[in-house]
Amino acid sequence: MEIALIVSITVAIVFAALFFDERGTVKEYTDENKSQRAEISRLKDTAQETPGEALMSMPPVDDQDLWDLTPDLVADVVRYNGYVPDKKEDAVFFMVQGERYFVPTDMLPCVAIMKRFDISEGDYDIALMQEAARKTTESRFMGKSCVSEDRKTLIFFTASLEPKYGHFRDVFNDMVSVVNDMENLLGETYNKLLNDKGDMKKLEANGIPLEAMDMREGKIVS
């Protein structure tokens, strides 16, 4: 379910805008990544058999920044930035201060850092949660938040086209910060909407018709 959710959300928002440039199509990127991963694997195997030859074959350390991202290199980025990667079939999971994040790896070179929470109608006002997610997404360029179609999962994420290992490694913590910013902003927005809804209920209980709200001085009517 996690992977299906990742694909449905990220593809809809990110795929069309990010997956094409002057280098070609997604397939071409995928083929390049497979080729790069195969080459790295070959060099590792060679290193075990003939260390001297492998060292001669390995690209210079400075060139590693230009390596095309692979799932293994995504895990290495997570490790480089101080977290413990948990590599699954289609994603790399990691923990930050006790909370779980993940990076899908089945859509490279498009990468997303994501965070998700289970929600239920009994604990939250799902309609207000959807409205808060919409508002926070509209107010930010890089970060996104949304409620899943089944209304059971709240997702925060940021996505970018990152074909090279070095750049993703350097912007990784910034992307994590964007996800955290979206979570904090949604919490503030949701609480405000909830408070506003509570005020409306008090007005209705006191016999003030909702139509009268439009007559208040300074009220903006859309």
Short mmCIF file of all heavy atoms in Angstrom, two decimals, residues 77-146:
data_model
loop_
_atom_site.label_atom_id
_atom_site.label_comp_id
_atom_site.label_asym_id
_atom_site.label_seq_id
_atom_site.Cartn_x
_atom_site.Cartn_y
_atom_site.Cartn_z
N VAL A 77 23.36 8.17 0.41
CA VAL A 77 23.06 9.57 0.72
C VAL A 77 22.47 9.68 2.12
O VAL A 77 22.84 10.55 2.91
CB VAL A 77 22.10 10.17 -0.33
CG1 VAL A 77 21.52 11.49 0.17
CG2 VAL A 77 22.82 10.39 -1.65
N VAL A 78 21.53 8.78 2.43
CA VAL A 78 20.92 8.78 3.77
C VAL A 78 22.00 8.57 4.83
O VAL A 78 22.05 9.28 5.85
CB VAL A 78 19.84 7.69 3.86
CG1 VAL A 78 19.34 7.54 5.30
CG2 VAL A 78 18.68 8.01 2.92
N ARG A 79 22.87 7.61 4.58
CA ARG A 79 23.94 7.31 5.55
C ARG A 79 24.91 8.48 5.68
O ARG A 79 25.34 8.83 6.78
CB ARG A 79 24.69 6.06 5.09
CG ARG A 79 25.71 5.53 6.10
CD ARG A 79 26.39 4.27 5.58
NE ARG A 79 25.44 3.18 5.42
CZ ARG A 79 24.99 2.75 4.24
NH1 ARG A 79 25.39 3.33 3.11
NH2 ARG A 79 24.14 1.75 4.17
N TYR A 80 25.28 9.09 4.56
CA TYR A 80 26.20 10.22 4.55
C TYR A 80 25.69 11.36 5.42
O TYR A 80 26.46 12.05 6.09
CB TYR A 80 26.42 10.70 3.13
CG TYR A 80 27.30 11.92 3.00
CD1 TYR A 80 28.68 11.81 2.84
CD2 TYR A 80 26.75 13.21 3.04
CE1 TYR A 80 29.49 12.93 2.75
CE2 TYR A 80 27.55 14.34 2.95
CZ TYR A 80 28.92 14.19 2.79
OH TYR A 80 29.72 15.31 2.69
N ASN A 81 24.37 11.57 5.41
CA ASN A 81 23.78 12.68 6.15
C ASN A 81 23.46 12.33 7.61
O ASN A 81 22.79 13.11 8.30
CB ASN A 81 22.52 13.17 5.44
CG ASN A 81 22.85 14.04 4.24
OD1 ASN A 81 23.10 15.24 4.38
ND2 ASN A 81 22.87 13.44 3.04
N GLY A 82 23.95 11.19 8.06
CA GLY A 82 23.88 10.89 9.48
C GLY A 82 22.73 10.02 9.94
O GLY A 82 22.49 9.90 11.14
N TYR A 83 22.01 9.38 9.01
CA TYR A 83 20.88 8.53 9.37
C TYR A 83 21.16 7.09 8.96
O TYR A 83 22.03 6.82 8.12
CB TYR A 83 19.60 9.04 8.71
CG TYR A 83 19.38 10.52 8.94
CD1 TYR A 83 19.53 11.42 7.90
CD2 TYR A 83 19.05 11.01 10.20
CE1 TYR A 83 19.35 12.79 8.10
CE2 TYR A 83 18.88 12.37 10.41
CZ TYR A 83 19.03 13.25 9.36
OH TYR A 83 18.86 14.59 9.57
N VAL A 84 20.40 6.17 9.51
CA VAL A 84 20.57 4.75 9.21
C VAL A 84 19.56 4.34 8.14
O VAL A 84 18.35 4.37 8.39
CB VAL A 84 20.38 3.90 10.47
CG1 VAL A 84 20.53 2.42 10.13
CG2 VAL A 84 21.37 4.31 11.55
N PRO A 85 20.02 3.98 6.93
CA PRO A 85 19.08 3.60 5.88
C PRO A 85 18.54 2.19 6.08
O PRO A 85 19.26 1.29 6.50
CB PRO A 85 19.94 3.69 4.61
CG PRO A 85 21.34 3.42 5.08
CD PRO A 85 21.42 3.97 6.48
N ASP A 86 17.27 2.01 5.77
CA ASP A 86 16.63 0.70 5.77
C ASP A 86 16.10 0.49 4.36
O ASP A 86 15.00 0.94 4.02
CB ASP A 86 15.52 0.66 6.81
CG ASP A 86 14.80 -0.69 6.85
OD1 ASP A 86 15.36 -1.67 6.32
OD2 ASP A 86 13.68 -0.75 7.40
N LYS A 87 16.86 -0.17 3.53
CA LYS A 87 16.56 -0.29 2.10
C LYS A 87 15.57 -1.42 1.85
O LYS A 87 15.82 -2.57 2.19
CB LYS A 87 17.85 -0.52 1.31
CG LYS A 87 17.69 -0.51 -0.20
CD LYS A 87 19.06 -0.55 -0.86
CE LYS A 87 18.94 -0.69 -2.37
NZ LYS A 87 18.45 -2.03 -2.74
N LYS A 88 14.42 -1.06 1.29
CA LYS A 88 13.42 -2.03 0.89
C LYS A 88 13.44 -2.15 -0.64
O LYS A 88 14.29 -1.58 -1.31
CB LYS A 88 12.03 -1.60 1.37
CG LYS A 88 11.94 -1.37 2.87
CD LYS A 88 12.16 -2.63 3.66
CE LYS A 88 11.90 -2.40 5.15
NZ LYS A 88 12.17 -3.60 5.95
N GLU A 89 12.47 -2.88 -1.17
CA GLU A 89 12.45 -3.12 -2.61
C GLU A 89 12.32 -1.84 -3.43
O GLU A 89 13.03 -1.65 -4.40
CB GLU A 89 11.29 -4.06 -2.96
CG GLU A 89 11.22 -4.41 -4.45
CD GLU A 89 10.09 -5.36 -4.76
OE1 GLU A 89 9.40 -5.82 -3.83
OE2 GLU A 89 9.88 -5.63 -5.96
N ASP A 90 11.41 -0.96 -3.03
CA ASP A 90 11.15 0.24 -3.82
C ASP A 90 11.32 1.53 -3.03
O ASP A 90 10.84 2.59 -3.45
CB ASP A 90 9.73 0.20 -4.40
CG ASP A 90 9.58 -0.88 -5.46
OD1 ASP A 90 10.55 -1.11 -6.20
OD2 ASP A 90 8.50 -1.50 -5.53
N ALA A 91 11.97 1.48 -1.88
CA ALA A 91 12.13 2.69 -1.07
C ALA A 91 13.27 2.50 -0.07
O ALA A 91 13.63 1.37 0.27
CB ALA A 91 10.83 3.04 -0.35
N VAL A 92 13.80 3.63 0.38
CA VAL A 92 14.78 3.63 1.46
C VAL A 92 14.16 4.38 2.63
O VAL A 92 13.81 5.56 2.50
CB VAL A 92 16.10 4.30 1.04
CG1 VAL A 92 17.06 4.39 2.23
CG2 VAL A 92 16.76 3.53 -0.11
N PHE A 93 14.01 3.72 3.76
CA PHE A 93 13.42 4.30 4.95
C PHE A 93 14.52 4.75 5.91
O PHE A 93 15.61 4.18 5.93
CB PHE A 93 12.51 3.30 5.65
CG PHE A 93 11.31 2.90 4.85
CD1 PHE A 93 11.39 1.90 3.89
CD2 PHE A 93 10.09 3.52 5.04
CE1 PHE A 93 10.29 1.54 3.13
CE2 PHE A 93 8.97 3.17 4.30
CZ PHE A 93 9.08 2.17 3.34
N PHE A 94 14.23 5.77 6.71
CA PHE A 94 15.17 6.22 7.72
C PHE A 94 14.41 6.97 8.81
O PHE A 94 13.28 7.43 8.60
CB PHE A 94 16.26 7.12 7.11
CG PHE A 94 15.76 8.37 6.44
CD1 PHE A 94 15.79 9.60 7.11
CD2 PHE A 94 15.25 8.34 5.15
CE1 PHE A 94 15.33 10.75 6.50
CE2 PHE A 94 14.79 9.50 4.54
CZ PHE A 94 14.83 10.70 5.20
N MET A 95 15.02 7.04 9.99
CA MET A 95 14.39 7.67 11.14
C MET A 95 15.09 8.98 11.47
O MET A 95 16.33 9.07 11.44
CB MET A 95 14.45 6.75 12.35
CG MET A 95 13.81 5.39 12.16
SD MET A 95 12.00 5.47 12.06
CE MET A 95 11.62 5.82 13.79
N VAL A 96 14.29 10.01 11.79
CA VAL A 96 14.81 11.29 12.25
C VAL A 96 14.08 11.62 13.55
O VAL A 96 12.86 11.83 13.55
CB VAL A 96 14.58 12.42 11.22
CG1 VAL A 96 15.13 13.73 11.77
CG2 VAL A 96 15.25 12.08 9.90
N GLN A 97 14.81 11.63 14.65
CA GLN A 97 14.24 11.92 15.97
C GLN A 97 12.98 11.08 16.24
O GLN A 97 11.96 11.58 16.69
CB GLN A 97 13.92 13.41 16.09
CG GLN A 97 15.17 14.28 16.02
CD GLN A 97 14.88 15.75 16.16
OE1 GLN A 97 13.73 16.17 16.08
NE2 GLN A 97 15.91 16.55 16.37
N GLY A 98 13.09 9.81 15.94
CA GLY A 98 12.01 8.87 16.25
C GLY A 98 10.87 8.85 15.25
O GLY A 98 9.91 8.09 15.44
N GLU A 99 10.95 9.63 14.17
CA GLU A 99 9.88 9.65 13.18
C GLU A 99 10.39 9.09 11.85
O GLU A 99 11.54 9.31 11.46
CB GLU A 99 9.34 11.07 12.99
CG GLU A 99 8.70 11.60 14.26
CD GLU A 99 7.96 12.91 14.01
OE1 GLU A 99 8.33 13.62 13.06
OE2 GLU A 99 7.03 13.22 14.78
N ARG A 100 9.53 8.37 11.15
CA ARG A 100 9.93 7.62 9.96
C ARG A 100 9.70 8.43 8.68
O ARG A 100 8.63 8.96 8.45
CB ARG A 100 9.14 6.32 9.89
CG ARG A 100 9.77 5.25 9.01
CD ARG A 100 8.90 4.01 9.00
NE ARG A 100 9.62 2.86 8.49
CZ ARG A 100 9.03 1.80 7.97
NH1 ARG A 100 7.71 1.75 7.90
NH2 ARG A 100 9.74 0.78 7.54
N TYR A 101 10.72 8.47 7.85
CA TYR A 101 10.68 9.10 6.53
C TYR A 101 11.07 8.05 5.50
O TYR A 101 11.65 7.02 5.86
CB TYR A 101 11.67 10.26 6.43
CG TYR A 101 11.46 11.39 7.41
CD1 TYR A 101 11.70 11.22 8.78
CD2 TYR A 101 11.05 12.65 6.97
CE1 TYR A 101 11.52 12.27 9.67
CE2 TYR A 101 10.88 13.70 7.86
CZ TYR A 101 11.11 13.50 9.21
OH TYR A 101 10.95 14.54 10.10
N PHE A 102 10.80 8.33 4.23
CA PHE A 102 11.27 7.41 3.21
C PHE A 102 11.48 8.12 1.88
O PHE A 102 10.90 9.18 1.61
CB PHE A 102 10.33 6.21 3.05
CG PHE A 102 8.91 6.56 2.69
CD1 PHE A 102 8.47 6.53 1.38
CD2 PHE A 102 8.00 6.91 3.68
CE1 PHE A 102 7.16 6.82 1.05
CE2 PHE A 102 6.69 7.22 3.37
CZ PHE A 102 6.27 7.18 2.05
N VAL A 103 12.35 7.50 1.07
CA VAL A 103 12.65 8.01 -0.28
C VAL A 103 12.26 6.91 -1.27
O VAL A 103 12.86 5.83 -1.25
CB VAL A 103 14.15 8.33 -0.44
CG1 VAL A 103 14.43 8.86 -1.85
CG2 VAL A 103 14.61 9.32 0.62
N PRO A 104 11.27 7.12 -2.13
CA PRO A 104 10.96 6.12 -3.16
C PRO A 104 12.14 5.97 -4.11
O PRO A 104 12.78 6.96 -4.47
CB PRO A 104 9.74 6.73 -3.89
CG PRO A 104 9.25 7.82 -3.00
CD PRO A 104 10.40 8.30 -2.21
N THR A 105 12.42 4.75 -4.52
CA THR A 105 13.54 4.53 -5.44
C THR A 105 13.11 3.92 -6.76
O THR A 105 13.95 3.56 -7.58
CB THR A 105 14.59 3.62 -4.78
OG1 THR A 105 13.96 2.37 -4.39
CG2 THR A 105 15.20 4.28 -3.55
N ASP A 106 11.81 3.80 -6.98
CA ASP A 106 11.33 3.18 -8.21
C ASP A 106 10.99 4.20 -9.29
O ASP A 106 10.44 3.84 -10.33
CB ASP A 106 10.11 2.30 -7.93
CG ASP A 106 8.97 3.06 -7.29
OD1 ASP A 106 9.22 4.17 -6.75
OD2 ASP A 106 7.82 2.57 -7.31
N MET A 107 11.32 5.49 -9.03
CA MET A 107 11.02 6.52 -10.01
C MET A 107 12.23 7.39 -10.32
O MET A 107 12.09 8.50 -10.82
CB MET A 107 9.86 7.39 -9.52
CG MET A 107 8.57 6.63 -9.37
SD MET A 107 7.23 7.66 -8.72
CE MET A 107 7.83 7.99 -7.07
N LEU A 108 13.41 6.91 -9.98
CA LEU A 108 14.61 7.69 -10.25
C LEU A 108 14.71 8.01 -11.74
O LEU A 108 14.35 7.20 -12.58
CB LEU A 108 15.85 6.88 -9.81
CG LEU A 108 15.94 6.57 -8.32
CD1 LEU A 108 17.13 5.67 -8.04
CD2 LEU A 108 16.06 7.85 -7.51
N PRO A 109 15.16 9.24 -12.08
CA PRO A 109 15.87 10.21 -11.24
C PRO A 109 14.97 11.19 -10.50
O PRO A 109 15.47 12.16 -9.95
CB PRO A 109 16.72 10.96 -12.26
CG PRO A 109 15.87 10.98 -13.47
CD PRO A 109 15.18 9.64 -13.49
N CYS A 110 13.65 10.96 -10.50
CA CYS A 110 12.80 11.79 -9.64
C CYS A 110 12.87 11.24 -8.23
O CYS A 110 12.63 10.05 -8.00
CB CYS A 110 11.36 11.76 -10.13
SG CYS A 110 10.24 12.74 -9.11
N VAL A 111 13.27 12.08 -7.28
CA VAL A 111 13.34 11.63 -5.89
C VAL A 111 12.37 12.46 -5.05
O VAL A 111 12.14 13.64 -5.32
CB VAL A 111 14.77 11.75 -5.31
CG1 VAL A 111 15.72 10.82 -6.04
CG2 VAL A 111 15.27 13.18 -5.37
N ALA A 112 11.81 11.81 -4.06
CA ALA A 112 10.92 12.49 -3.12
C ALA A 112 11.28 12.03 -1.72
O ALA A 112 11.62 10.87 -1.51
CB ALA A 112 9.46 12.17 -3.42
N ILE A 113 11.25 12.95 -0.78
CA ILE A 113 11.36 12.60 0.63
C ILE A 113 9.97 12.74 1.22
O ILE A 113 9.33 13.80 1.08
CB ILE A 113 12.38 13.48 1.36
CG1 ILE A 113 13.79 13.20 0.81
CG2 ILE A 113 12.33 13.23 2.87
CD1 ILE A 113 14.87 14.00 1.49
N MET A 114 9.47 11.68 1.85
CA MET A 114 8.08 11.62 2.26
C MET A 114 7.93 11.21 3.71
O MET A 114 8.83 10.59 4.30
CB MET A 114 7.32 10.63 1.37
CG MET A 114 7.53 10.83 -0.13
SD MET A 114 6.55 9.72 -1.16
CE MET A 114 4.92 10.45 -0.95
N LYS A 115 6.79 11.56 4.24
CA LYS A 115 6.43 11.22 5.62
C LYS A 115 4.93 11.01 5.64
O LYS A 115 4.19 11.77 5.01
CB LYS A 115 6.84 12.38 6.54
CG LYS A 115 6.77 12.10 8.03
CD LYS A 115 7.31 13.32 8.78
CE LYS A 115 7.42 13.09 10.26
NZ LYS A 115 7.91 14.30 10.95
N ARG A 116 4.47 9.99 6.34
CA ARG A 116 3.04 9.70 6.33
C ARG A 116 2.54 9.34 7.73
O ARG A 116 3.30 8.84 8.56
CB ARG A 116 2.72 8.56 5.36
CG ARG A 116 3.39 7.24 5.72
CD ARG A 116 3.23 6.20 4.62
NE ARG A 116 1.85 5.86 4.41
CZ ARG A 116 1.19 4.93 5.10
NH1 ARG A 116 1.82 4.26 6.07
NH2 ARG A 116 -0.06 4.65 4.85
N PHE A 117 1.24 9.65 7.96
CA PHE A 117 0.62 9.34 9.24
C PHE A 117 -0.76 8.73 8.98
O PHE A 117 -1.47 9.15 8.06
CB PHE A 117 0.42 10.60 10.08
CG PHE A 117 1.69 11.30 10.48
CD1 PHE A 117 2.19 12.34 9.72
CD2 PHE A 117 2.41 10.89 11.60
CE1 PHE A 117 3.37 12.99 10.08
CE2 PHE A 117 3.58 11.52 11.96
CZ PHE A 117 4.06 12.57 11.20
N ASP A 118 -1.13 7.76 9.79
CA ASP A 118 -2.48 7.22 9.73
C ASP A 118 -3.42 8.17 10.47
O ASP A 118 -3.09 8.67 11.54
CB ASP A 118 -2.53 5.84 10.38
CG ASP A 118 -1.74 4.80 9.60
OD1 ASP A 118 -1.61 4.97 8.37
OD2 ASP A 118 -1.24 3.84 10.22
N ILE A 119 -4.57 8.43 9.88
CA ILE A 119 -5.57 9.30 10.50
C ILE A 119 -6.92 8.61 10.43
O ILE A 119 -7.16 7.74 9.59
CB ILE A 119 -5.65 10.68 9.81
CG1 ILE A 119 -5.91 10.53 8.31
CG2 ILE A 119 -4.38 11.48 10.05
CD1 ILE A 119 -6.07 11.84 7.57
N SER A 120 -7.83 9.00 11.32
CA SER A 120 -9.17 8.43 11.31
C SER A 120 -10.17 9.51 11.68
O SER A 120 -9.84 10.49 12.35
CB SER A 120 -9.27 7.25 12.29
OG SER A 120 -9.08 7.69 13.63
N GLU A 121 -11.40 9.29 11.23
CA GLU A 121 -12.46 10.27 11.46
C GLU A 121 -12.73 10.46 12.94
O GLU A 121 -13.10 11.54 13.39
CB GLU A 121 -13.74 9.82 10.75
CG GLU A 121 -14.83 10.87 10.70
CD GLU A 121 -14.48 12.03 9.78
OE1 GLU A 121 -14.22 11.80 8.59
OE2 GLU A 121 -14.49 13.19 10.27
N GLY A 122 -12.52 9.44 13.73
CA GLY A 122 -12.78 9.57 15.15
C GLY A 122 -11.80 10.49 15.86
O GLY A 122 -12.13 11.10 16.88
N ASP A 123 -10.59 10.61 15.31
CA ASP A 123 -9.58 11.45 15.95
C ASP A 123 -9.46 12.82 15.31
O ASP A 123 -9.00 13.76 15.97
CB ASP A 123 -8.21 10.76 15.87
CG ASP A 123 -8.19 9.44 16.63
OD1 ASP A 123 -8.84 9.37 17.69
OD2 ASP A 123 -7.53 8.49 16.16
N TYR A 124 -9.81 12.95 14.06
CA TYR A 124 -9.65 14.20 13.33
C TYR A 124 -10.90 14.51 12.53
O TYR A 124 -11.68 13.62 12.17
CB TYR A 124 -8.46 14.13 12.37
CG TYR A 124 -7.14 13.86 13.05
CD1 TYR A 124 -6.62 12.57 13.10
CD2 TYR A 124 -6.41 14.89 13.64
CE1 TYR A 124 -5.40 12.32 13.72
CE2 TYR A 124 -5.19 14.65 14.26
CZ TYR A 124 -4.70 13.36 14.30
OH TYR A 124 -3.51 13.11 14.91
N ASP A 125 -11.06 15.79 12.23
CA ASP A 125 -12.09 16.22 11.28
C ASP A 125 -11.44 16.11 9.89
O ASP A 125 -10.66 16.97 9.49
CB ASP A 125 -12.50 17.67 11.57
CG ASP A 125 -13.67 18.12 10.70
OD1 ASP A 125 -13.68 17.79 9.50
OD2 ASP A 125 -14.55 18.84 11.20
N ILE A 126 -11.75 15.04 9.17
CA ILE A 126 -11.04 14.75 7.91
C ILE A 126 -11.31 15.82 6.85
O ILE A 126 -10.41 16.19 6.09
CB ILE A 126 -11.43 13.37 7.37
CG1 ILE A 126 -11.14 12.29 8.43
CG2 ILE A 126 -10.67 13.05 6.10
CD1 ILE A 126 -9.69 12.23 8.86
N ALA A 127 -12.52 16.35 6.82
CA ALA A 127 -12.82 17.40 5.84
C ALA A 127 -11.95 18.63 6.11
O ALA A 127 -11.41 19.24 5.17
CB ALA A 127 -14.30 17.76 5.90
N LEU A 128 -11.80 19.00 7.37
CA LEU A 128 -10.93 20.13 7.71
C LEU A 128 -9.47 19.80 7.43
O LEU A 128 -8.70 20.66 7.03
CB LEU A 128 -11.11 20.52 9.18
CG LEU A 128 -12.36 21.31 9.55
CD1 LEU A 128 -12.25 21.79 10.99
CD2 LEU A 128 -12.58 22.49 8.63
N MET A 129 -9.09 18.54 7.65
CA MET A 129 -7.72 18.12 7.37
C MET A 129 -7.43 18.26 5.88
O MET A 129 -6.35 18.71 5.47
CB MET A 129 -7.51 16.68 7.82
CG MET A 129 -6.06 16.21 7.72
SD MET A 129 -5.00 16.99 8.96
CE MET A 129 -5.48 16.09 10.44
N GLN A 130 -8.38 17.88 5.04
CA GLN A 130 -8.21 18.03 3.59
C GLN A 130 -8.08 19.51 3.21
O GLN A 130 -7.27 19.88 2.36
CB GLN A 130 -9.38 17.39 2.85
CG GLN A 130 -9.39 15.87 2.94
CD GLN A 130 -10.64 15.27 2.33
OE1 GLN A 130 -11.76 15.75 2.56
NE2 GLN A 130 -10.47 14.21 1.55
N GLU A 131 -8.89 20.33 3.84
CA GLU A 131 -8.82 21.77 3.56
C GLU A 131 -7.49 22.35 4.01
O GLU A 131 -6.88 23.17 3.30
CB GLU A 131 -9.98 22.48 4.27
CG GLU A 131 -9.98 23.99 4.13
CD GLU A 131 -10.27 24.48 2.72
OE1 GLU A 131 -10.60 23.63 1.85
OE2 GLU A 131 -10.16 25.69 2.48
N ALA A 132 -7.01 21.92 5.18
CA ALA A 132 -5.72 22.40 5.67
C ALA A 132 -4.59 21.96 4.75
O ALA A 132 -3.66 22.72 4.47
CB ALA A 132 -5.48 21.88 7.09
N ALA A 133 -4.67 20.72 4.25
CA ALA A 133 -3.65 20.23 3.33
C ALA A 133 -3.64 21.04 2.04
O ALA A 133 -2.58 21.37 1.50
CB ALA A 133 -3.89 18.75 3.03
N ARG A 134 -4.82 21.38 1.55
CA ARG A 134 -4.91 22.18 0.33
C ARG A 134 -4.30 23.57 0.55
O ARG A 134 -3.53 24.06 -0.28
CB ARG A 134 -6.36 22.32 -0.12
CG ARG A 134 -6.54 23.10 -1.43
CD ARG A 134 -8.00 23.31 -1.73
NE ARG A 134 -8.64 24.16 -0.73
CZ ARG A 134 -8.53 25.49 -0.72
NH1 ARG A 134 -7.81 26.12 -1.64
NH2 ARG A 134 -9.15 26.19 0.21
N LYS A 135 -4.64 24.17 1.67
CA LYS A 135 -4.13 25.52 1.94
C LYS A 135 -2.61 25.54 2.10
O LYS A 135 -1.93 26.44 1.62
CB LYS A 135 -4.79 26.07 3.22
CG LYS A 135 -6.24 26.51 3.04
CD LYS A 135 -6.81 27.03 4.34
CE LYS A 135 -8.22 27.56 4.16
NZ LYS A 135 -8.23 28.80 3.36
N THR A 136 -2.07 24.56 2.82
CA THR A 136 -0.63 24.54 3.01
C THR A 136 0.11 24.28 1.71
O THR A 136 1.17 24.86 1.46
CB THR A 136 -0.23 23.48 4.06
OG1 THR A 136 -0.74 22.21 3.65
CG2 THR A 136 -0.78 23.84 5.42
N THR A 137 -0.45 23.44 0.86
CA THR A 137 0.18 23.16 -0.44
C THR A 137 0.18 24.40 -1.31
O THR A 137 1.16 24.69 -2.00
CB THR A 137 -0.55 22.01 -1.15
OG1 THR A 137 -0.33 20.80 -0.41
CG2 THR A 137 -0.02 21.81 -2.56
N GLU A 138 -0.91 25.16 -1.27
CA GLU A 138 -0.99 26.38 -2.07
C GLU A 138 -0.03 27.46 -1.59
O GLU A 138 0.39 28.32 -2.37
CB GLU A 138 -2.42 26.92 -2.05
CG GLU A 138 -3.41 26.07 -2.83
CD GLU A 138 -4.83 26.60 -2.71
OE1 GLU A 138 -5.05 27.52 -1.88
OE2 GLU A 138 -5.71 26.11 -3.44
N SER A 139 0.35 27.40 -0.31
CA SER A 139 1.19 28.45 0.24
C SER A 139 2.68 28.15 0.14
O SER A 139 3.50 28.98 0.50
CB SER A 139 0.84 28.68 1.72
OG SER A 139 1.19 27.56 2.50
N ARG A 140 3.03 26.96 -0.36
CA ARG A 140 4.43 26.58 -0.48
C ARG A 140 4.72 26.11 -1.90
O ARG A 140 3.88 25.46 -2.52
CB ARG A 140 4.80 25.47 0.51
CG ARG A 140 4.77 25.91 1.97
CD ARG A 140 5.90 26.89 2.29
NE ARG A 140 6.01 27.16 3.70
CZ ARG A 140 5.35 28.13 4.33
NH1 ARG A 140 4.51 28.91 3.66
NH2 ARG A 140 5.52 28.33 5.63
N PHE A 141 5.92 26.41 -2.38
CA PHE A 141 6.30 25.99 -3.73
C PHE A 141 6.89 24.59 -3.74
O PHE A 141 6.53 23.76 -4.58
CB PHE A 141 7.30 26.98 -4.32
CG PHE A 141 7.83 26.56 -5.67
CD1 PHE A 141 7.02 26.60 -6.79
CD2 PHE A 141 9.13 26.12 -5.81
CE1 PHE A 141 7.49 26.20 -8.02
CE2 PHE A 141 9.63 25.72 -7.04
CZ PHE A 141 8.81 25.77 -8.16
N MET A 142 7.79 24.30 -2.81
CA MET A 142 8.52 23.02 -2.84
C MET A 142 7.79 21.90 -2.10
O MET A 142 7.88 20.74 -2.48
CB MET A 142 9.91 23.21 -2.24
CG MET A 142 10.86 24.01 -3.10
SD MET A 142 11.16 23.24 -4.71
CE MET A 142 11.97 21.72 -4.21
N GLY A 143 7.09 22.22 -1.02
CA GLY A 143 6.48 21.19 -0.21
C GLY A 143 5.03 20.92 -0.58
O GLY A 143 4.33 21.80 -1.09
N LYS A 144 4.59 19.70 -0.33
CA LYS A 144 3.21 19.31 -0.59
C LYS A 144 2.66 18.55 0.60
O LYS A 144 3.39 17.85 1.31
CB LYS A 144 3.12 18.42 -1.83
CG LYS A 144 3.75 19.01 -3.09
CD LYS A 144 3.02 20.25 -3.57
CE LYS A 144 3.70 20.85 -4.80
NZ LYS A 144 3.06 22.13 -5.20
N SER A 145 1.36 18.66 0.79
CA SER A 145 0.67 17.85 1.79
C SER A 145 -0.67 17.45 1.23
O SER A 145 -1.28 18.20 0.47
CB SER A 145 0.49 18.63 3.11
OG SER A 145 -0.23 19.83 2.89
N CYS A 146 -1.13 16.26 1.57
CA CYS A 146 -2.42 15.80 1.04
C CYS A 146 -2.96 14.66 1.91
O CYS A 146 -2.23 14.04 2.69
CB CYS A 146 -2.29 15.35 -0.41
SG CYS A 146 -1.12 14.01 -0.65
#
